[in-house]
Amino acid sequence: MKKRILCVVFAFLLAAFNTSFASSAVDIPPSFEVPLFVEQLLGVAQEELGYTEKSDGSTKYGAWYGDRTAEWCAEFLCWSVNETDARYGTELLKKQYPLYGATNVGLNWFLKEGRFVSRNGTVNGWGRQWFKSSGKNIALNEYIAQPGDWVFFSYTPSGDTTHVAMVEKAFKNEDGIYIQVFEGNMPDKVQRRAYAINDWRIIGYGTVHDVAGIAMRHGNEGKKVTELQKELSALKLLDSSNVNGVYDNNTENSIKRFQAENKLTATGIADKDTQLLIKNLLEQNMQEDNSFWIVEGGI
């Protein structure tokens, strides 16, 4: 991160508040299969444990990124992704994970990719989130981070990100549920650390898996918007030329039309009820459309 004085202060605060591991801890099995690339990435990050910045604040992670004395929590994670790509021939950087070194850029990248889960289940400027698997709204502290997820922290009233770490695993003990992470610049080295999932400093998670739906509105951009626009186009409510990943006037008007036709409040906001109804109608149309059925041989 670029705001060096701020980050150093918060790094010491983070260390002061850290929760130590308990002997009674029991690992929580991941909810999804852990991809091979995540195992490889975590292995690379683990090898860096104990790496310490030099007396002038410089690190190899900052030098790799192009700013040797940068606040390097994000740079460490991005370096680890790049190292994984170099070792194993993966293509993770800028596809599965962001390349960045500035406040909020990483969180916003995951949000546009459609893989961000807020700790409280609501994303500022967007709206409520829900689990795609069940349609249930995501409650405060309900999402349990998965291996390879990135966790974003804030300590400012603005909610800007001031720290980022990578999840190794989740575990529980008599005090509750925790996530164990690899993190750099804490305060001057790479360490393994644990945080309670209800830690007030956690904003949310950049996830490996696409686990959450999200309400969308005018001005939003990203893959979730593109998916919605394609669905509207399939229902003949939006011209295919307007599928652009931007929730613009055309998209908003299409949603209003759909809501009005289906006796929903025509807000122009694609909330959960609106999106789930769109998906249900598309599935129904697919089942009823004879063009999806191929009869071989005739009668």
Side-chain angles (χ1 to χ4, degrees):
M1 301 299 180
K2 301 300 184 184
K3 300 178 180 178
R4 183 165 185 78
I5 296 177
L6 181 65
C7 288
V8 169
V9 171
F10 289 137
F12 280 106
L13 283 174
L14 201 59
F17 277 99
N18 178 63
T19 303
S20 62
F21 296 100
S23 59
S24 60
V26 177
D27 289 352
I28 299 174
S31 300
F32 306 91
E33 182 178 354
V34 179
L36 176 60
F37 71 80
V38 168
E39 296 179 356
Q40 293 167 336
L41 173 59
L42 292 176
V44 169
Q46 183 171 340
E47 290 177 8
E48 298 302 302
L49 288 172
Y51 177 91
T52 304
E53 66 182 39
K54 296 180 180 179
S55 58
D56 63 355
S58 64
T59 67
K60 66 179 182 181
Y61 314 117
W64 167 81
Y65 184 73
D67 183 355
R68 56 189 296 271
T69 59
E71 292 303 320
W72 50 279
C73 52
E75 286 82 351
F76 159 62
L77 296 188
C78 295
W79 179 93
S80 297
V81 174
N82 184 72
E83 182 68 14
T84 302
D85 285 344
R87 290 189 194 182
Y88 300 104
T90 51
E91 297 181 349
L92 305 176
L93 198 61
K94 296 192 284 188
K95 293 183 178 180
Q96 183 67 34
Y97 296 101
L99 171 62
Y100 80 105
T103 299
N104 296 331
V105 174
L107 187 156
N108 289 334
W109 186 92
F110 277 107
L111 186 56
K112 285 189 175 183
E113 287 293 304
R115 292 186 285 112
F116 177 77
V117 177
S118 171
R119 183 173 69 87
N120 64 13
T122 299
V123 178
N124 290 337
W126 291 68
R128 290 289 300 167
Q129 291 188 290
W130 58 91
F131 289 113
K132 292 176 64 176
S133 59
S134 65
K136 179 181 180 297
N137 285 342
I138 298 176
L140 177 66
N141 304 319
E142 186 172 12
Y143 177 72
I144 299 177
Q146 302 294 293
D149 287 357
W150 287 13
V151 52
F152 294 94
F153 300 84
S154 178
Y155 313 96
T156 67
S158 67
D160 290 334
T161 57
T162 50
H163 188 60
V164 63
M166 182 162 58
V167 177
E168 182 182 16
K169 65 178 182 179
F171 66 88
K172 60 183 177 180
N173 60 23
E174 63 273 12
D175 298 319
I177 297 175
Y178 295 81
I179 53 172
Q180 181 171 304
V181 304
F182 295 120
E183 58 185 352
N185 196 32
M186 186 46 58
D188 62 348
K189 64 184 63 176
V190 177
Q191 295 192 30
R192 178 185 270 130
R193 195 171 292 270
Y195 297 91
I197 64 167
N198 62 355
D199 192 309
W200 63 270
R201 297 164 295 182
I202 296 175
I203 304 172
Y205 307 91
T207 62
V208 172
H209 305 277
D210 180 6
V211 300
I214 187 171
M216 291 174 271
R217 64 189 68 213
H218 193 279
N220 294 154
E221 298 182 21
K223 289 186 176 180
K224 295 287 190 188
V225 177
T226 300
E227 293 171 2
L228 175 65
Q229 291 172 330
K230 288 180 178 179
E231 293 170 344
L232 291 171
S233 178
L235 291 173
K236 311 300 183 184
L237 293 170
L238 184 70
D239 191 271
S240 60
S241 64
N242 293 319
V243 177
N244 56 15
V246 179
Y247 204 113
D248 52 17
N249 289 335
N250 291 320
T251 306
E252 183 176 50
N253 291 334
S254 295
I255 289 294
K256 285 182 178 179
R257 175 184 168 190
F258 175 83
Q259 290 170 329
E261 291 176 350
N262 290 276
K263 299 181 179 179
L264 299 173
T265 303
T267 62
I269 297 172
D271 57 11
K272 182 177 72 171
D273 290 341
T274 300
Q275 291 188 46
L276 292 182
L277 183 55
I278 288 173
K279 293 182 185 299
N280 288 338
L281 289 177
L282 282 173
E283 292 178 2
Q284 180 180 329
N285 289 350
M286 184 175 293
Q287 293 173 359
E288 295 177 353
D289 190 343
N290 290 335
S291 66
F292 288 97
W293 298 91
I294 300 177
V295 179
E296 296 183 358
I299 297 177

